[in-house]
Amino acid sequence: MTEESIDAIQVIEATIRNCQKSQLKFVAGSAQFTLLKNRLYALEVGRDLLNGYTDITVEALVEAQAPIESIIHKVDCKFNPNFWTNLSA
C-alpha cells in the first residue's frame, strides 16, 4: 500500500468519524440525517476499496457513486475559487 493510499484512508476515516458525530444532531428520517447516512456508506465503501477488499458488490459501488460525486463537487466548490468559471469552459 502506498503512502498516498494510507493518507487517503486516514482522511476518509476522520471524515467518517465527523459525519457520525454530525448525524447525532439530526432526527432519523430527516433529509440531513439521510444525506449523512448515504455519505457514510459511500465513504465506507471507498475506504474498503483503498484497503484492498475485493468482496464489494457492483450494487454497493453503484449506490456509493452519487454520494461520492456529491462530496467531490462540494470540495471542488469550496477549495477551487475558479470552479464555477471553469465549468463554462
Side-chain angles (χ1 to χ4, degrees):
M1 185 176 295
T2 67
E3 184 176 334
E4 188 175 67
S5 295
I6 292 168
D7 291 345
I9 291 167
Q10 290 173 345
V11 169
I12 290 170
E13 288 178 343
T15 305
I16 288 171
R17 286 190 299 276
N18 289 337
C19 286
Q20 289 169 332
K21 288 178 192 174
S22 295
Q23 195 176 34
L24 297 174
K25 300 175 186 176
F26 301 110
V27 176
S30 69
Q32 297 92 340
F33 184 92
T34 303
L35 177 69
L36 285 168
K37 178 180 139 189
N38 293 339
R39 285 184 177 171
L40 280 165
Y41 179 78
L43 289 166
E44 290 165 355
V45 169
R47 179 196 56 203
D48 291 347
L49 284 169
L50 286 170
N51 277 319
Y53 295 132
T54 58
D55 60 347
I56 300 167
T57 65
V58 171
E59 291 81 13
L61 293 172
V62 169
E63 189 175 339
Q65 183 177 351
I68 291 294
E69 288 175 353
S70 173
I71 292 168
I72 291 168
H73 178 76
K74 183 176 181 180
V75 170
D76 280 345
C77 290
K78 184 173 182 178
F79 294 106
N80 182 356
N82 298 317
F83 178 78
W84 294 110
T85 306
N86 294 339
L87 280 180
S88 60

